[in-house]
Amino acid sequence: PLLRDARLAALHPEVLAVAEKYIRSDHPATAVFEALKAVNLRVKQMTGRSDDGSSMMGSVLSGSAPILAIADPSTETGRSIQDGYKFLFMGAMLALRNPAAHEQLPDMHEAEAFDQLSFTSILMRALDAATVQATTT
């Protein structure tokens, strides 16, 4: 329990808010799924978008004129960082969220869940630092 508490404390507050009860009740796959849904919802709220998932992430984080700027798109380094985060967000939706959304939740060890929740926290922290450049519906 002490290690679990420390791992929970290290999570982004929005990830913790949706995942903690599932971790504590021994439903780690549900914790991960809910955390990734929270990332998706937060991007929708920040951008005003009505689309969803990987395609939305690719669109709002794309190119030299992103809707959500995580890095400075006017520099080569900034564009590289932006593209990297675009692929991280898209990959999270495809590899981690979508299987749980379309099939029964897999069995998941708590250690794997914490790895994925930590990754989800990285995405949430990137959104904390992101600047909304424009909104679309």
Side-chain angles (χ1 to χ4, degrees), residues 39-47 56-57 60 68 127:
V39 168
N40 190 71
L41 180 60
R42 186 168 179 205
V43 170
K44 290 173 93 165
Q45 291 170 338
M46 290 176 75
T47 62
M56 176 184 66
M57 299 303 175
V60 302
L68 279 180
L127 293 176

Side-chain angles (χ1 to χ4, degrees), residues 80-114:
S80 292
I81 293 168
Q82 186 73 32
D83 278 346
Y85 273 101
K86 173 183 75 173
F87 291 121
L88 290 173
F89 276 85
M90 290 174 69
M93 293 299 113
L94 290 169
L96 304 178
R97 187 200 71 153
N98 281 2
H102 300 291
E103 298 177 8
Q104 288 186 323
L105 288 172
D107 289 334
M108 183 180 288
H109 189 274
E110 188 174 289
E112 181 182 359
F114 272 113

Side-chain angles (χ1 to χ4, degrees), residues 1-125:
L2 190 58
L3 179 57
R4 179 189 281 177
D5 289 344
R7 290 175 131 181
L8 285 167
L11 297 175
H12 183 279
E14 291 185 50
V15 172
L16 179 64
V18 298
E20 181 176 18
K21 68 182 174 185
Y22 297 109
I23 289 291
R24 292 196 185 280
S25 65
D26 295 322
H27 294 94
T30 303
V32 171
F33 183 52
E34 291 301 320
L36 288 160
K37 285 174 24 184
V39 168
N40 190 71
L41 180 60
R42 186 168 179 205
V43 170
K44 290 173 93 165
Q45 291 170 338
M46 290 176 75
T47 62
R49 298 290 289 245
S50 60
D51 52 342
D52 196 65
S54 177
S55 62
M56 176 184 66
M57 299 303 175
S59 177
V60 302
L61 295 163
S62 185
S64 59
I67 295 169
L68 279 180
I70 293 174
D72 181 357
S74 70
T75 69
E76 184 175 344
T77 298
R79 287 188 297 275
S80 292
I81 293 168
Q82 186 73 32
D83 278 346
Y85 273 101
K86 173 183 75 173
F87 291 121
L88 290 173
F89 276 85
M90 290 174 69
M93 293 299 113
L94 290 169
L96 304 178
R97 187 200 71 153
N98 281 2
H102 300 291
E103 298 177 8
Q104 288 186 323
L105 288 172
D107 289 334
M108 183 180 288
H109 189 274
E110 188 174 289
E112 181 182 359
F114 272 113
D115 289 344
Q116 292 186 20
L117 291 170
S118 294
F119 177 72
T120 306
S121 289
I122 291 170
L123 300 179
M124 282 292 199
R125 288 186 175 94

